[in-house]
Each structure stands twice: as structure tokens, then as C-alpha cells.
Amino acid sequence: MKVRAALLAEIATMALETLRANKMRSALTIVGVVIGITAIVGMTALVRGFDRSFKGMVEVLGPNTVFVAKFSGLSFMSGKEFIDLIRRPNLTPDDARALERLDSVRYTDTMLGGGFDDSRERLSYDGEETKRLQIIGTTELFAQVGYIPIEQGRFFTASEVRHRRAVVVLGQDPYQSLFPMIDPIGKQVRVADQQYTVIGVMGPRPSPGGFNAGQDEIAVIPYTRYETQFGVPALRVSGGPHRDVTITAVPRDGQRARALREIEETMRIRHGLRLDEENDFDLITQDAMLRVWEQTTQAVFLSLVVISSIALLVGGIGVMAIMTMSVTERTNEIGLRKALGARRREILWQFLVEAATLTLAGGVLGVLLGSGTGLLVHLVSGFPISLPWWSFALGLGFSASVGLIFGMAPAIRASRLDPIEALRHE
Amino acid sequence: MSLIEVEQLKKSYEMGSERVHALRGVDLQVEKGEYVAIMGPSGSGKSTFLNLLGCLDTPTSGRYVLNDRDVSTMAEDDLAQVRNEEIGFVFQTFNLLARATALQNVELPLVYAGVGADERRSRAETALEKVDLSDRVTHRPNELSGGQRQRVAIARALVNNPSILLADEPTGNLDSVTGAELLGLLDSLHEKGHTLFVVTHERDVAKHAQSIVQLRDGQIETIERV
Ligand SMILES: Nc1ncnc2c1ncn2[C@@H]1O[C@H](COP(=O)(O)OP(=O)(O)OP(=O)(O)O)[C@@H](O)[C@H]1O
Ligand SMILES: [Mg+2]
């Protein structure tokens, strides 16, 4: 289908003029297209933005590290009930010691507190008091395992853990509220009712979505000390106090699969599970999290596709109706153009380009609205967004295609009109 | 070879079970530069004949050779090209695009001929000059009088340098004064060598032509030299 270039330019100009002449009608027609494209571009911006920061956070965990937890986001995503999850046995530092004895595991870190429990306490220094923070007890390996940068001072040592030393490493939040001007290292702070020496400060930690999820509102102490001050969770306390214990196991090089298997076996034995019983703990790895995340984003994208398809379909039907009306109204014009030498394909293209221009205008509007919405959300809430060029191209491509596809039938009808009958029309 | 050779041209329409014979075998030869008027009672086939001459329609049977080309059996898109290159139409109701300026209306046939924008513009301006409308180039049809509109239509018909100019009752929608002006314009086109066909009901209009073809019941009754 060859159409002369001069003609195509002419056709595009004519199309724009027709649309300008029928502003109101055109605007109504493209509402569906605008909604569809806005949804595509806007949602892509938000989902992709969140996706990036989430992956950034997960990648910090390291590809081999295995987390053992009572439960986690993974169990919610696989549809388990909270009430069942909370009844699972608490993990203990003894579990960690057992896992550390495995051949395939290089070392483990035990983390007490820091999750969904009641271990929030205030820190105070020189009359200043922080809000309630998460106090977590860990081994000396916490910073290393979690790739947490130490900004000032140092993390505590194995010996300090063994001797239950009252030392604390501050997160960014308590550091900034207690020591805005002063060097914190060596200062005495009170954690709940006991005195601790500040030995280090952690740098800011990443979080999904860049939200302030309280990831910096922490203070880390040796887990042995934590046990002394806050008590050790008992095994299988059905209905008893829930304690968050997360065990981080770093496998020996190349032994990740074996470590996963052995950790699972060990935990099942320690919890006395029968063969037919499900795990009552979660094993979390980077790729498991990424896999679940991928499924979630895929579901979001799928619903996005469905929503925007419906909107585009509605828009398309509107375009078909409006173009059919336009062809009828302009029957005489079509006859005239044919009399002056317009061929079928030239009439066809005129109406196709007109339909596509109409929907493309809707697409441009949708791209602007969609990215505008994304930017607004970003400015208001700090939610990370990503505006990839391909989502614009996709939006514009889709909108133009809607015009071409739904404008096809009316355009074909126009191109087939008999010149004499068309001229005699009205 | 004449510019136009028509042999036993027939056109009939199916109307349900009936056949309407609009043309029942017309023979005619017209030389280049001739000015022909077509007359006849209503329904005698004048418009049908003119549409066939203008390649807007194909005959049921018979032969029509225009400029050495047999156009009676051509396919639709080829006919479109012949219309674009060889024919200029002037309609009773002007048939201008309401949204377009006089200049854009006149440019339209050149658009379909694939002429570039600059040449299109200058040729359209020249055509508007010929019909004495140089000062109305940017006017839209609703800003022009009836006579001016018909002159724009004539400029549009001329812009492609067609072999023949066809006008179906060109004065039908004009008052007598502007009608007379228009006929003067057609006369001058004839003097410049254009080949003209004019369908009319009015004897006074027909008298401007060199020959008057009288149609009756789909056939040529007489050909009268003026
Ligand atoms: N598309 C058509 N379908 C059926 N019959 C038609 C068609 N076009 C024309 N006719 C018939 O052909 C005959 C000739 O019609 P035509 O339009 O050529 O007449 P005319 O001489 O131009 O009349 P008028 O002076 O009223 O314009 C008429 O009987 C008309 O009814
Ligand atoms: Mg007629």
C-alpha cells in the first residue's frame, strides 16, 4: 500500500483540522483511550519504581545467605493465616548453635528482637530520650552478614558477645536524636533500665520503596546481653509471648543447596515434626524473595493489562462509532474526493490516519497524565518511580493501534463508496 | 482520432426486478477544443451521460475512448487516475470543502496527483487568477458569494490542465447576472482552447456552445450546430 508522501502529510493535516473542528466530540471519544494509557504509564512508573528499590534491598542480603525465621512475608504471600503463624514455635539461640555445627554452614548470626514483637524500648542520654526503638540482640557477625556499613566506631566482637558486655551500636535514628553535635563513641546511654557503652554507629539502611519503614530506628546489642536483659523465648510457648528470633546462616562456598537442605532437616528435627507435617518455620533466601516478588509484580502487571485493555476496548468502540458517523456525514466529501482523483487506498488512509490521530492524541494525554500522576505521587510521598521510555512508546503505540484497528471498518466502508452515489448524498 | 469517441454507449440500472435504461446506445465524436451543450427533458439521461464522460461511472456496454485510451473497461483506481489527469468537474452545488480555504480547495486535485506543496500552491494561485479570484485566496466557501464559489470550483477543475471540462447545470444555483458572468468565463476558457461539456435546461445557456446535443429517453435525438 503505497501512498504518496505529500499526500500522507496532507492527510495528517486534514485529520488534525477535522479533530479541531469537532473538539467536544473528539474529546469524549478518546476518554477511554486516555484512561487506558494513563493506567499503563502511571502504573508502570509506580510498579517499576517500587520494583527497583525492592530489588536493591533484597540484593543487599547477598545471594547465598539463608534466613531462618518463625514466619515472614513469604508465608503471608503464600496465603497462610496470621493466627496460625503466630502459634508457630519461637526460634532460639540454641537453634542457631545447632545450625552452626552443620558442615555446610560457615557461620550463623542470631538476631533477637527487631521484628513483630514487644521489644521496643527507649534509649536515653543526658536527659534526652528517643522514641521507642527496636532493640535487637545479635552476634558479632550481624553487620557483616547484613552488609551494614559501620559509620563510626566499630561493631562488637565475639569476646564481647561471649562476656555479655553492655555495649551498643546505634542506628542512624537514635544517633541523630541523642548525639546531634557530640561524638557518641564511649558515651554511656541507658537502654530501658540498664547502662550501655556506645561503641559504634551504623550507616543508613536500605528499605523497600525508600519509605521510612523504621529501618534506622534500631539499636544493636550482643544477643547474650539481650537474653540477660529481656529473657530468652521458650520453645513452643503456645499462646505465650512471641519473640522474634531470626537466624542468618552463611553457607560455605558452593554448598548453598546442601546447607538449605541440612538447615531444613535440622530445624524439622528440633521442632519434632512428623514426615507429613509442614515446616513450621520459613527459610528465606534472596532468590525465594525475588521469586515471590516477581509473582506479585506479574500479578499487578496482569491486572494492569486487563484494566487498560478494557479501557482501550471501550475507547476503540467509541472511535469506531465516531468514525462511522464521520464517514456518513462526509459521504458527499468522499464522493468529491473520488471525483477529483482520490483512489480507494487514499480515502482509506485518510480515515485511518484520522482515527489514529484521534486516539494518538488520547495516548499523548494519557502519557502526560500517567507520568504526571507518578511524579505527583513521588513528590508527595517520596515513593520511588521509574519512567522508562518504553512505557511511553508502548502507550503511544497502543493508542495509535486502537485507532488503526477500530477505524479500519469505517475507513474501508468510506473507501468503497460509489463516487456518484456519494456525490448525490444529502 | 477525435479527443472523444463514444460508440453505442449504454447504461442501465437494476431496480429490483426491473431494468431502467438510462442510456440506450449513444454515438458521439468530439474534437479537442469543442464546446458542447447537452439538453433534454428531465430523466432523459443527461447526467448519466456526463458521468460516463467523466469516468465517474462505467457503461453497461459500448465503447468510450478518451485521448486514445479505452476507458470503458478500466478498473476503479485506474479510472480515478484518469479523472485526476484528464477531467475537470463543475457541479451544480459547487461541492467545495467547507473547512478549506479557496486555495486549499483548488489544490485538492494536485494533492491526489502527488504534486509537491510549493508547486501545488503556485499552480492553485494561477488557477484562481484565471477565474479572477486572486483576492479571495484565503476565504472559506461561506465567506464567498455563490458566483465566487462556482468560480473556485472552476479553478479547481482547471488546475490539473484536464483534457475536458464537464459542468452539470453550472448556472442552476446562480442568479441570472452571476450566471451570465459564469457563462462569459466558460466562453473565455473555450477561446483558450479548452474542451467543454455543459448540461443545461436553458436554451440561452446552451447557445454559448458550438453544438447542442438533444437527448430524449436515453438516446440522441438531434445534434444541432449553433
Ligand atoms: N443510480 C440509479 N439507479 C437507478 N436509476 C437511475 C440511477 N441514476 C439514474 N437513474 C435513472 O436513469 C434515468 C436518467 O437519469 P439522469 O439522472 O441521467 O437524468 P437527467 O437527464 O440528468 O435528469 P435531470 O434533468 O432531472 O437531472 C432516470 O430515469 C433515472 O431515474
Ligand atoms: Mg441531471
Side-chain angles (χ1 to χ4, degrees), chain A residues 4 10 332 337-338 340, chain B residues 83-84 95 111-112 120:
Chain A
R4 296 182 185 95
E10 199 63 26
N332 193 266
R337 286 176 184 279
K338 289 199 157 191
L340 299 183
Chain B
R83 288 197 293 272
N84 186 251
N95 277 325
V111 168
Y112 292 113
R120 223 157 59 205

Side-chain angles (χ1 to χ4, degrees), chain B residues 150-165:
Chain B
Q150 196 58 300
R151 283 185 354 231
V152 172
I154 289 177
R156 181 180 64 191
L158 288 175
V159 77
N160 262 6
N161 294 320
S163 304
I164 53 175
L165 197 69

Side-chain angles (χ1 to χ4, degrees), chain A residues 236-251:
Chain A
R236 281 202 186 281
V237 273
S238 175
H242 163 81
R243 285 283 186 196
D244 258 304
V245 176
T246 308
I247 299 166
T248 312
V250 177

Side-chain angles (χ1 to χ4, degrees), chain B residues 15-16 28 30 93 104 111 114-115 152-154 200 214:
Chain B
M15 293 287 284
L28 189 69
V30 177
T93 52
Q104 287 167 335
V111 168
V115 176
V152 172
I154 289 177
T200 183
Q214 278 286 351

Side-chain angles (χ1 to χ4, degrees), chain A residues 4 6-7 10 17-18 330 332-333 336-346 350 419-420 423, chain B residues 51 56-57 76-77 80-81 83-84 89 91 95 97 99 104 108-109 111-115 120 156:
Chain A
R4 296 182 185 95
L7 185 64
E10 199 63 26
E17 253 163 43
T18 313
R330 287 154 67 195
N332 193 266
E333 175 189 327
L336 174 74
R337 286 176 184 279
K338 289 199 157 191
L340 299 183
R343 276 166 275 201
R344 273 192 180 180
R345 58 171 172 271
E346 287 159 346
Q350 180 185 343
I420 297 175
L423 270 171
Chain B
N51 288 340
L56 277 171
D57 211 350
E76 198 189 303
D77 277 355
Q81 195 172 345
R83 288 197 293 272
N84 186 251
F89 288 102
F91 304 95
N95 277 325
L97 293 186
R99 300 183 306 275
Q104 287 167 335
L108 206 52
V111 168
Y112 292 113
V115 176
R120 223 157 59 205
R156 181 180 64 191

